[in-house]
Amino acid sequence: DGGFFIMATYTRAELTGSTDGRGVLVAATSSPGTTIHTAGAVTGDDNYDEIYLWAVNSSTAALKLTIEFGGQTAPNDLIEYTVAAESGLKLVCPGLNLQNALVVTAFAATTNLIIIHGYVNKIRA
């Protein structure tokens, strides 16, 4: 057909809010939340961060978690999830795309009891 094909590259990376790939402790109890990840400063259809997040609740009670995905506007940017007590990893962000240096933050009903684990697939054309 005379066209050409550009192969995208996928690079798995830790969350920018993580230290050495460890979980990010959610300290904030209101907006703006604790920084989980800042997307790459890229734009375009084939350039984005594909973000996967899991939450762990170390408390003995269920806690509400709010993920601010790329902004802080309700309801557009908010992902709300009640994390069951001591129940292991719970998927809260299933590979959603973000770019242009937008930020993912999180806050919880109680400080320092929810930990966010995850990774990013950096997809670049």
Side-chain angles (χ1 to χ4, degrees):
D1 65 37
F4 62 94
F5 178 71
I6 297 175
M7 178 68 83
T9 61
Y10 291 74
T11 305
R12 189 166 172 165
E14 68 182 44
L15 302 169
T16 61
S18 170
T19 301
D20 300 327
R22 298 178 72 198
V24 180
L25 187 62
V26 178
T29 57
S30 63
S31 182
T34 301
T35 298
I36 306 300
H37 181 71
T38 301
V42 295
T43 59
D45 292 342
D46 297 323
N47 294 290
Y48 52 87
D49 287 6
E50 181 182 62
I51 303 167
Y52 293 85
L53 302 176
W54 288 264
V56 173
N57 178 1
S58 63
S59 171
T60 57
L63 293 173
K64 182 178 178 182
L65 170 69
T66 301
I67 303 287
E68 297 171 308
F69 197 84
Q72 300 166 355
T73 303
N76 303 21
D77 299 323
L78 305 184
I79 300 168
E80 297 176 323
Y81 188 84
T82 300
V83 186
E86 301 175 330
S87 62
L89 294 164
K90 300 298 179 185
L91 183 64
V92 295
C93 183
L96 300 177
N97 297 332
L98 202 60
Q99 60 179 214
N100 203 21
L102 294 178
V103 181
V104 177
T105 59
F107 62 90
T110 305
T111 189
N112 296 330
L113 292 174
I114 293 182
I115 305 98
I116 303 292
H117 293 272
Y119 65 90
V120 176
N121 287 325
K122 293 186 170 290
I123 301 170
R124 305 294 184 258

